[in-house]
Amino acid sequence: HAVKAASGATQVLDGARVFPSTAEAVADLHHVYATTARRRDMLKATLTPAQFAATIGDLEPGRVGVLFGPERAGLDNDDVALCEALVEVPVNPAFASLNLAQAVMLVSYEWFQAGDAMPETQMATAATRLATKGELLGLFEHLERELDESGFLHVKEKRPIMVRNLR
C-alpha cells in the first residue's frame, strides 16, 4: 500500500528499517529533534520548523533525525527525552494538532528550503531578449488565426475562454 501511495518516489521506502525501540532507531544519529504540539514537563528548547532548518545547517557534520509521533497519541515522553529540542509549528493553540502528513511536509519543506541555494526566480534568456507585449500579442494573434484555420477553435461559445487561456 505504501508503494502505491508513494507515486513512484519509493527511495525512502526502499531504505526504511523497522526498529524494536525509538532508542535503537536513533542510536546512530548525532542530533535528534522531536515534533510535538504538547508542552512537556521537560526543559527543551522549542524551535519552529524554519528555526530547526536553520539550526541544523550550523551543526557540525553529523546525522540528524526528526521524530514524528503517531497521529492518534503523538510521541511518548520517553521518546521526547532522547531529543535535544522540540520542533513545533506555530499554529492557533486552540487547534494545535496537525496530522502526520502535514507535520512531515512542513518540517521537510523548511529543511529543503534552508539548503536550497537557488535564487527565488530565474529566467534563463541565453543570448535572446525578452519579447515586448506587442510582440507577444502578435504571436498570439498569429496562433489564434492558425488554430481557427485548422478547426481547433470550432466551438464558438468556447473560443473566447480558450483564447484567454492561451494568452
Side-chain angles (χ1 to χ4, degrees):
H1 179 72
V3 171
K4 290 179 185 175
S7 299
T10 59
Q11 62 267 30
V12 172
L13 295 173
D14 293 340
R17 297 178 298 173
V18 177
F19 294 89
S21 70
T22 303
E24 291 175 70
V26 302
D28 66 337
L29 301 177
H30 299 96
H31 307 282
V32 182
Y33 295 82
T35 58
T36 184
R38 287 195 334 248
R39 291 288 168 196
R40 314 282 177 143
D41 291 330
M42 298 180 203
L43 293 175
K44 298 271 183 197
T46 301
L47 308 169
T48 66
Q51 291 168 329
F52 156 74
T55 299
I56 61 172
D58 294 336
L59 295 174
E60 61 188 58
R63 293 173 46 97
V64 176
V66 181
L67 292 181
F68 296 93
E71 287 185 27
R72 183 179 48 79
L75 291 168
D76 291 333
N77 284 346
D78 291 339
D79 294 335
V80 174
L82 298 170
C83 303
E84 45 257 52
L86 305 177
V87 178
E88 181 180 324
V89 178
V91 296
N92 181 337
F95 308 100
S97 181
L98 297 176
N99 71 35
L100 179 60
Q102 292 169 328
V104 171
M105 188 269 312
L106 288 169
V107 172
S108 300
Y109 175 79
E110 291 294 348
W111 197 341
F112 171 77
Q113 286 297 101
D116 186 13
M118 298 282 291
E120 289 200 22
T121 57
Q122 284 187 329
M123 176 66 80
T125 58
T128 64
R129 63 174 179 75
L130 292 177
T132 66
K133 291 297 179 186
E135 291 168 331
L136 284 174
L137 185 58
L139 170 68
F140 291 134
E141 288 170 349
H142 174 75
L143 178 60
E144 291 157 24
R145 279 192 308 275
E146 293 298 320
L147 290 173
D148 280 331
E149 287 180 25
S150 72
F152 186 82
L153 298 174
H154 66 279
V155 181
K156 289 191 186 281
E157 53 277 355
K158 289 186 179 181
R159 188 185 186 284
I161 295 169
M162 294 175 74
V163 168
R164 188 178 316 120
N165 287 339
L166 284 170
R167 289 182 179 208

